[in-house]
Amino acid sequence: MKNAEIKTQQKRMQFMPDIKKGLIRNIVPVVFAVLCIIGACIAQARPLFLLSSVTIRMARNLLLVFSLIIPVVTGLGLNFGIVLGAMAAQIALVAVTHWEITGISGFIVTALLSVPLSIFFGWLTGRILNRAKGNEMITSMMLGFFANGLYQLLFLFVLGGIIPMVNKTIMLPSGIGIKNTVALRGLKYALDNVIKIEYDDLIIPIFTFIVIAVMALAIKFLLQTKLGQELRCVGQDMNIAEASGIDVDKMRITAVILSTILAAWGQLIHLQNIGILQTYGSHEQVGLFAVASILIGGATVTKATIGQAILGTFLFHSLFIISPMAGQKLVGEPQVGEYFRAFVAYGVIGLSLGLHAWQKQQAARNKFEE
Amino acid sequence: MGQKFRQFIDNFGYTRIVIILFLFVLLVSAFALELQIKSLLSGILIRTGMNLLLTLAMVPSIQSGTGLNFGLPVGILCGVVGAVLSIAMNLTGGQAFFAANVIGVLLAVVAGYVYGLLLNRVKNQEMLIGTYAGFSVVSGMCMFWILAPFRSPKMIWPYGGRGLRVTVSLEDTFGGILNKFLFRPYKWIDIPWGLLGYVLIFCLFIWLFSRSKTGIAMQTVGSNPRFAEAAGISIDGMRIVGTILSTVLGAMGILVYAQSYGFLQLYTAPLYMAFPAVAAILIGGATVHKASITHVIIGTFLFQALLVVALPVTNAVLPEGNLSEVVRIIISNGIILYALTRIGGGD
Amino acid sequence: MNKPIIQLVDICKEYYGNQVLKKVNVSVRPGEVHALVGENGAGKSTLMNILFGMAVIHNTGGFSGQVFFDGEKVDITSPKEAMDKGIGMVHQEFMLLPGFTITENIKLNREITKHNVISKILGEKMKSLDMESMRKDARKALDTLGLDIYEMLSVEGLPVGHKQFIEIAREIDKTNVRLLVFDEPTAVLTEIEAELFLKAVKKLASTGIAILFITHRLNEVMRVADNITILRDGEVVGKLAREEASVEKMARLMVGRKIDRIQKTEKKSNGSIDENILEIKNLKVNMPGERVKDVSLEVKKGEILGIGGLAGHGKIGIANGVMGLYPSSGEVVFNGDKIKLNNPKDALSKGMAFVSEDRRGVGLLLEESIEKNIALTAMQVQGKFLKRIAGINFALTWKIRAHARKIIKELDIRCTGPEQITRRLSGGNQQKICIARAISLEPELLFVSEPTRGIDVGAKKIVIDLLLKLNQEMGMTIIITSSELAELRSICDRIAIIYDGKLEGVLPPDADDTDFGLMMAGGHGKAKEVS
């Protein structure tokens, strides 16, 4: 009896370092899981409400988060430029709304229309990022801000001002520029409604999840092809890739184009669920929230998986729902919670990127001291 | 001849030429539209003065080798906290401005030191990390503004509601204190001598610093860290000096800005305040590696002139929408983007 | 079988009027291991660049002479062409991706693929990887080398020896490889790894692959080479079969050259000549590529000490370590004072100065004026050229300028004036500025690394004369580190030779060529036993 006890204890001792190591390796998701649980306890939210909110938000955001994976694998870091993909989707959405194509066919037309746009935007982004090697992330972020200016120019002045718009319902009263909010009546739930399960408050858009799963598998498949091998090779070391005959710049552009297309479709799924296009706001935080999500899932600048994307999206959006409620309960001010989650989004990005840069510096130093 | 012309343009910088041409077109249209030239010119001077210190804050960070200080909101928040505390102490006028500066600078020295330590750990990625450090500090401070225990009626909401107001009027405290000081109207232009004098003193101070032993050491670290190390200069130490100076200028800069604007902006307002300062110094001809006082003055003047003139001109041409705001976004972000794609192309 | 696979005939090459290869002839037969031996700068790498059709050759005016591959005259214009012909190269630095498995690395961009549903529509790039076939190929290549390691392991964390083998496996996996070039393959290997490696080389040769083996390690040459070609200053100075070769013979051929000893005037006595100014004990320096493993050395007051040795053996690391530029440990005593290591300021302020081998990287502020370059270290370390006003130390421009003018005149620096920036100056003038900065510190001891690298012949002499003048007229102790042994032998009082990060020995400048050659090749101990 005693022997057995000692044995199990020994076994546990052996396992302890493994658990500890695992915890340290996954410290980011673990911390956020703990935060979510504490927040949920404070907020005393109904589990079913939490579940349904998180489910909806996962369906809305997963594909956007997935769109970050390929550039990470290719060594471009986190592509804040997925904002351009979202813009491509919104341009397509406005066109389709303008033409009044509705339902799933409208959705498909939008998805198809957004592809050439995203290829073009992705190609531009890729070329710019090729000129900023080593500074891809901040460049893609600034590119997002810059593109936002051009986007506003297009939607506020060019449409109706230079390009005549026949359908006036989505235009501002003056006839120049698109309204601040465009109701996507024909496209609302276009994808979700194909197959869905409803139970009390809980709505599960099965078909949307199927589409997302297919996309996840497509990414997985792509990374196992010859193309994927070349992308991974570029991601590991551009010089070696170049020396072994891989066209590095072309591969990087390919990665950004793929990411931009996925982001466009992701934004489309997002907006068909919300049903309203905030013409000048819907895309702005896309990059920020997607990047924060994948990092919370434990991804880094150089490593990201589908699993991390799913876990991160779940945790980030749980926190998103819980923190204003917790803020309300704790200090009677939901605003605190809202600022808290903005703080979390920015903070986790800053912290994660900072840690990565620090480790890189340390590694460079250790290399000397080997 | 063609070659020489090209070389001249290369030296002068495409961005600056584009901006100057654009500004020229705007000025001509302003004349054509018979806008109030006097108020435009006076507006340019005031806007230049109120933004100059924020742009100047880029100089020590570029010179010490940490690049463009996208983490400027760290310094800005120190200044804002200084102002809030001076209001909380019920100070007014010059006393309030002075107290806000003293508190702001003290906080900025501490914050700049900590921020410098951070930047030393993330060499080569300072701009990216700085951006997100700035963003997180701003959103972190948002929580503070809500929960802060200030009771001064100038700052809290008049009809209940928790936390400080989004914008705090400085009318009773130090609003316009520099703008009004030695303000002289002339026939063609109103010149705010006090404001301009105040900011130029700091330009002079930074220039003098660049001629001192420490200043030279700091610039050496920025232009060639390995050379600096071989000359017995502490790289990390000088980078911290640069970061502290930049943060301090950010704190003082926002106070100049606020007194001119008449309001203190809390919450998310400082989030994007680094970007116009960065854009201005780049327009002035600075790069991620090299910056001087001349770049600051020329850049701030050109950028602010552009904004001041663009607003009435675009409004006259296109009264709908806010075209000048869109133009501002495109120009300032476009210039930063352009500079980022040229980092590697220096040598 | 005995027809040469590769023949290089009468190869000549000039770089900017500098003859680096003079009528070089080398040929290798299938199954032969041919060693190419020579000092740094003897022309080995230029020869390989020609063989591989590297762009650097074409961009500098091509070469003259003929290349025959498999009996046919060929004109190789790109590395890819060389590879297609069946010439493989194992690089000195590893071209391996740490995150990939051994198999993936061996098959890098030569993956075996197979069709799937999607690739039939979207094209070649969408083909799946046939990992099983790739694995088998990799296994086969590793077996050929006799490396017993699981082929699906990640390369990250493998010992360097294994990495070297994987590099070779990749080359031999290319089915058509007929000539393999190894560039200093054992430089990074431990003794046991090198042993295994040499065995593998022999095994490879026995399969009929021709091998060209570039190395400094003469013992290894004796072990594996069938034939040996020795290069010196771009010329073939010896062609030996193994039977007629010996380490001593190779060493002498490798180093031997006429020495022009500069006649020195009598030294100004600067205290007792036997007094040590600097004592280095068990110095270790972690300088990448020039690691110092354990060096103890004494430097006498007023002498010119030379530090020689082959590239990569650590001679460069010594000065960099003492001056605190790379992490180091050990003990350095200067004038009886212990120097704080890893602290450039301490070394500088105690009276030592350093002219770096990396002139443009460490030695100069390329965008700054000459005067600033000259004055900066003295200002920062010793507080020269400063005036304290209101608690702040301001730089005195006029003082700096006067000093710069004086030194520009003394050292005859050709420039438009002290305000000119240094980027566009010639190499010789840049070097003078570096020396000017060092002597502005008025040091008792001056380290100079590679003083004449990359500057033209006329300037070389001026720089050497300048160093001599500093030593003789000002009594400055000078330690010169140089890859050019002849240069060291022309002005030094003693020459220390560094091999494999350790002090191999100290020789007088007029010692025998064989001794220098053996020491530089690390075979001195053995040679002593023989003689």
Side-chain angles (χ1 to χ4, degrees), chain B residues 93 169-180 258-263:
Chain B
S169 169
L170 296 175
E171 208 176 324
D172 311 334
T173 49
F174 59 81
I177 188 160
L178 293 172
N179 284 41
K180 288 175 202 153
Q259 66 79 30
S260 181
Y261 187 57
F263 295 94

Side-chain angles (χ1 to χ4, degrees), chain C residues 365 367-375 397-409 413-422 425 433:
Chain C
L365 293 169
E367 301 300 335
E368 302 286 353
S369 63
I370 292 175
E371 56 186 9
K372 195 166 179 184
N373 269 284
I374 290 177
T397 318
W398 62 271
K399 246 188 176 170
I400 292 173
R401 185 147 309 163
H403 174 74
R405 284 231 162 87
K406 194 175 118 229
I407 221 158
I408 284 171
K409 207 167 155 201
I413 298 171
R414 304 289 164 82
C415 57
T416 57
E419 286 165 273
Q420 191 183 359
I421 67 163
T422 58
L425 293 174
I433 291 170

Side-chain angles (χ1 to χ4, degrees), chain C residues 158-292:
Chain C
L158 288 182
V160 275
H162 286 159
K163 289 185 183 171
Q164 179 84 54
F165 276 92
I166 295 164
E167 284 270 321
I168 303 167
R170 174 154 69 205
E171 291 307 317
I172 61 176
D173 179 58
K174 296 176 181 168
T175 43
N176 67 341
V177 69
R178 304 184 60 188
L179 170 67
L180 254 184
V181 179
F182 291 99
D183 187 6
E184 306 260 359
T186 53
V188 288
L189 302 187
T190 65
E191 233 162 273
I192 298 163
E193 287 168 343
E195 195 68 29
L196 282 171
F197 168 78
L198 294 176
K199 257 190 209 149
V201 168
K202 287 211 142 172
K203 202 169 163 194
L204 267 181
S206 69
T207 64
I209 296 174
I211 288 171
L212 196 57
F213 193 94
I214 304 174
T215 187
H216 301 310
R217 296 195 177 178
L218 301 180
N219 296 325
E220 286 172 6
V221 172
M222 290 304 293
R223 293 269 314 282
V224 292
D226 299 312
N227 288 296
I228 301 144
T229 298
I230 298 158
L231 281 179
R232 185 210 310 152
D233 294 338
E235 268 179 289
V236 176
V237 292
K239 272 184 176 297
L240 307 169
R242 181 175 23 191
E243 299 77 52
E244 40 181 344
S246 70
V247 171
E248 292 77 28
K249 206 164 169 185
M250 287 190 282
R252 193 166 55 241
L253 286 167
M254 210 167 90
V255 176
R257 59 164 73 80
K258 243 173 47 223
I259 307 293
D260 305 313
R261 179 90 187 143
I262 294 176
Q263 279 307 312
K264 291 189 185 178
T265 50
E266 199 54 34
K267 264 186 203 170
K268 234 207 281 184
S269 176
N270 200 353
S272 157
I273 193 79
D274 281 332
E275 192 184 328
N276 283 339
I277 187 164
L278 183 74
E279 286 165 15
I280 298 170
K281 282 173 206 148
N282 304 104
L283 182 71
K284 295 191 179 78
V285 185
N286 287 312
M287 179 171 177
E290 286 284 348
R291 180 158 305 165
V292 180

